[in-house]
Amino acid sequence: MKKVLFYLFSQPIDRLTFGLEEEILPHEYLACQKVIASWQQKKRVLVACQTQAQAEKIDEFLWQLDTAHFVPHNLAGEGLKGGTAVEICWPERRGSGARQLLINLQDSFADFALMFQDIIDFVPYDEARKILARERYKAYKNMGFNLKTINIDSLD
């Protein structure tokens, strides 16, 4: 059965920099942690970002990981045909090749989500993003996905 795991941020968490030029939002950081864990489980992952700028930020964060946590990845349209184990896309540049897991950072329901058995999505703390997440939740439910929510209190 197709399933979606929502991570719900139940309290505000400070933005993080990790030496990046731009701050990484808590749900973006958690998405990167899920990328690392999924790759270590030998899964092929598509990270669907809202914008090219967000995709480039995620890409930069993954490049800065120490060698023990290195994840082979590429932005959509770069690298080999079919991409690496992890591909990062945005609406104007779709992913290539089959993937096992979708990590959704887009504001709306991704029309290609039906191609995936497993999806990770996020409910950030701020109200505007919560409203968007509720809409995605409804869309997944209407499409027959099994839904589960996990509360996140910190990123420790």
Side-chain angles (χ1 to χ4, degrees):
M1 173 176 252
K2 293 179 180 246
K3 61 183 186 262
V4 181
L5 183 57
F6 271 92
Y7 287 94
L8 170 66
F9 287 83
S10 55
Q11 62 185 9
I13 297 173
D14 291 334
R15 292 176 181 223
L16 313 160
T17 58
F18 295 102
L20 297 172
E21 290 180 24
E22 187 178 349
E23 293 176 323
I24 190 163
L25 300 172
H27 66 285
E28 294 169 336
Y29 174 76
L30 184 56
C32 291
Q33 296 306 305
K34 297 302 171 186
V35 165
I36 295 164
S38 298
W39 180 77
Q40 289 172 343
Q41 295 170 2
K42 309 277 190 252
K43 291 183 180 177
R44 290 180 57 82
V45 179
L46 179 66
V47 181
C49 294
Q50 179 64 24
T51 63
Q52 181 176 353
Q54 183 184 43
E56 290 171 350
K57 180 172 38 168
I58 299 296
D59 176 59
E60 181 64 26
F61 179 85
L62 292 173
W63 278 119
Q64 290 191 22
L65 295 173
D66 61 47
T67 55
H69 295 102
F70 175 75
V71 174
H73 69 281
N74 63 275
L75 293 168
E78 295 181 354
L80 303 172
K81 184 177 180 179
T84 56
V86 175
E87 191 167 42
I88 307 164
C89 72
W90 58 97
E92 296 80 20
R93 174 109 14 124
R94 291 286 177 94
S96 63
R99 307 279 168 191
Q100 297 160 298
L101 174 66
L102 170 63
I103 297 179
N104 187 39
L105 292 170
Q106 293 185 355
D107 290 340
S108 59
F109 177 78
D111 59 349
F112 53 87
L114 292 171
M115 297 173 15
F116 293 86
Q117 289 293 324
D118 295 306
I119 299 173
I120 293 175
D121 207 317
F122 305 90
V123 183
Y125 181 76
D126 68 274
E127 195 57 37
R129 288 195 170 123
K130 275 186 187 174
I131 291 168
L132 294 169
R134 286 183 194 117
E135 292 302 315
R136 290 192 309 277
Y137 187 95
K138 288 178 200 172
Y140 290 124
K141 187 174 183 175
N142 290 338
M143 295 294 176
F145 283 87
N146 182 22
L147 303 165
K148 182 177 179 183
T149 302
I150 296 176
N151 288 321
I152 300 294
D153 295 323
S154 70
L155 292 174
D156 296 331

